[in-house]
Amino acid sequence: MLRTLAVVVLSLAAAGVGFWGYQEHKEKNAILINAENNYQRAFHNLTFGIDRIHDQIGATLAMNSRKSLSPALADVWRLTSQAQSDVGQLPLTLLPFNKTEELLGSIGEFSYKTAVRDLDKEPLTDKEYARLKSLYKQSGNIQNELRKVQHMTLKNNLRWMDVELALATEKEGEDNTIIDGFKTVEKKAEGYSETNTDPLPGNTNQLSANYLKDNKGAPISKKEAQTKALNYIQMKQVNDIKVTKSGKGSDFSFYSVYMKNKYGEEANIDITRRGGYPLWYIVDREIGKQNISLNEASDKAAAFLNRHQMKGLVLDDSTQYDNVGVFAFVGQQSGIRIYPDAVKVKVALDNGQVIGVTANEYFENHHNRKLSKPALTEKEAEEFINPRVNIQEKRLAVIQNELNQEVLCYEFLGTLGEETYRILINAKDGTEEQVEKLRQVEPVYDNLL
């Protein structure tokens, strides 16, 4: 009897384990299918978007009136922004693709600058028309190469998950149609970069790329990257750790580190190869009940930044989501806020652990700036604001405008009715650079019942 019972129990246990394994396999497959679908969508959207960019630039070459040309160029700018977004959704982090993104950025910047000016008073110059023709030719080259990749992808039913795996395991040197195709796309874009050495007026994009590229910190090894990752994240009982180096040809080199401990907690972090700076990281774990205040958590966030060479920052905003504090820090120089030097820090309110950092903007943009004196006084700048706004705070700040240029502004915080606004007025000419409605504190709906 006991033997029969034991056999039944073991059979049920085996069936249970089998069912659990099947469920796990099914769930993992669902995640992989979803990721693959997202990659496929982004790639085909990118290919279609480049088609439209090429066609629209071609159409502008035949236009002559501002009535037609300005909207067409504005549409090119919109399409390039979408194309850059689609590139960002592909698993190309470890594959150099910066020249193609630079080309898209140049198309977007040229089209935006031209679209917003009065073309009746300032029509396209011969030099600008030549630049437009060059962009048309280069976008056509990119279009052709992407179409070849798309054709081979559809013909051979290729998977983007295989691309991600090849890049992550540094096996991209093997035969891979998609990777080889994108390397060809990058090569075509590199040709554009080499022949277009004359930057557009006010172009500051190169500044961001150069800061990390010219980082003079001592290079670290994979082993040192692993040690630094453990130091940053402070995860206990780690029993699985993988370190992957970024692809060759990137503007700057970095390590991607994956960690998992015996409790099932996971973490991912990107660390610069020179200096070992944390560009971003996130810890995936269950957060317990709150034991520290938001103010204490902000102190821990500030201490983390100071400890890891991110100095000269001031707290700009703090928010609590469930049992997590999210803190936004910005740079400060001579009492002027520097918004491009931004860092976000997430702190768990159960034990004060820093569970998330986004510092890439800081390391891309941070440098000692030569700040000019404002041409307008604070009072003169305030005259450009809607008189219905009740000004509460005011200060000088540096921001990046729509053209990715840094501009010195007067920052005004004011109220209109029950809403609070941040208004940024160019300190040189009074241009209303940005108007932002600040979010209200989310109501606790449980207390409203």
Side-chain angles (χ1 to χ4, degrees), residues 86-116:
D86 291 328
V87 170
Q89 295 176 54
L90 292 173
L92 301 173
T93 308
L94 304 177
L95 178 69
F97 208 58
N98 49 297
K99 296 298 181 183
T100 304
E101 292 181 285
E102 184 181 313
L103 172 59
L104 288 171
S106 295
I107 293 173
E109 183 178 6
F110 177 86
S111 56
Y112 179 85
K113 278 188 171 183
T114 310
V116 297

Side-chain angles (χ1 to χ4, degrees), residues 237-273:
Q237 303 292 320
V238 173
N239 56 11
D240 184 17
I241 187 163
K242 295 182 179 67
V243 183
T244 306
K245 188 179 176 182
S246 61
K248 297 176 183 178
S250 299
D251 273 341
F252 61 93
S253 185
F254 62 92
Y255 293 108
S256 291
V257 184
Y258 165 82
M259 294 185 289
K260 186 175 182 180
N261 66 10
K262 71 175 188 178
Y263 307 110
E265 300 172 353
E266 295 180 293
N268 290 277
I269 178 171
D270 282 355
I271 299 175
T272 61
R273 193 177 69 84

Side-chain angles (χ1 to χ4, degrees), residues 322 442-449:
D322 295 326
E442 291 290 333
V444 181
Y445 291 101
D446 289 343
N447 296 336
L448 300 178
L449 300 177

Side-chain angles (χ1 to χ4, degrees), residues 101-286:
E101 292 181 285
E102 184 181 313
L103 172 59
L104 288 171
S106 295
I107 293 173
E109 183 178 6
F110 177 86
S111 56
Y112 179 85
K113 278 188 171 183
T114 310
V116 297
R117 84 178 192 224
D118 191 339
L119 291 173
D120 288 334
K121 295 180 180 178
E122 297 179 76
L124 284 179
T125 64
D126 291 340
K127 189 174 182 179
E128 287 173 325
Y129 189 77
R131 172 66 69 88
L132 195 60
K133 288 176 68 176
S134 173
L135 292 174
Y136 176 69
K137 179 181 178 182
Q138 293 299 325
S139 63
N141 290 337
I142 300 300
Q143 176 193 39
N144 290 335
E145 296 304 326
L146 279 177
R147 280 297 182 190
K148 291 177 185 177
V149 177
Q150 186 182 49
H151 172 73
M152 294 304 296
T153 301
L154 295 173
K155 179 182 178 182
N156 299 319
N157 196 27
L158 301 177
R159 298 193 316 158
W160 278 92
M161 294 302 297
D162 294 334
V163 174
E164 186 173 45
L165 180 62
L167 292 172
T169 56
E170 297 185 315
K171 292 181 180 179
E172 66 268 26
E174 299 177 5
D175 183 30
N176 189 302
T177 302
I178 295 179
I179 293 177
D180 293 343
F182 269 82
K183 284 182 177 179
T184 304
V185 171
E186 181 72 351
K187 195 68 179 175
K188 293 287 185 180
E190 187 177 342
Y192 162 81
S193 180
E194 292 170 353
T195 57
N196 270 280
T197 55
D198 182 27
L200 291 169
N203 185 6
T204 60
N205 287 339
Q206 198 58 38
L207 176 67
S208 295
N210 280 342
Y211 184 75
L212 278 172
K213 187 170 68 173
D214 297 338
N215 171 17
K216 297 299 189 294
I220 63 173
S221 65
K222 283 189 175 183
K223 186 67 177 176
E224 289 172 313
Q226 178 176 313
T227 301
K228 282 184 173 290
L230 289 167
N231 180 40
Y232 287 131
I233 296 179
Q234 299 178 338
M235 181 184 283
K236 298 178 181 178
Q237 303 292 320
V238 173
N239 56 11
D240 184 17
I241 187 163
K242 295 182 179 67
V243 183
T244 306
K245 188 179 176 182
S246 61
K248 297 176 183 178
S250 299
D251 273 341
F252 61 93
S253 185
F254 62 92
Y255 293 108
S256 291
V257 184
Y258 165 82
M259 294 185 289
K260 186 175 182 180
N261 66 10
K262 71 175 188 178
Y263 307 110
E265 300 172 353
E266 295 180 293
N268 290 277
I269 178 171
D270 282 355
I271 299 175
T272 61
R273 193 177 69 84
R274 286 191 171 274
Y277 304 129
L279 296 177
W280 74 273
Y281 77 71
I282 189 167
V283 179
D284 182 16
R285 72 169 176 86
E286 187 175 338

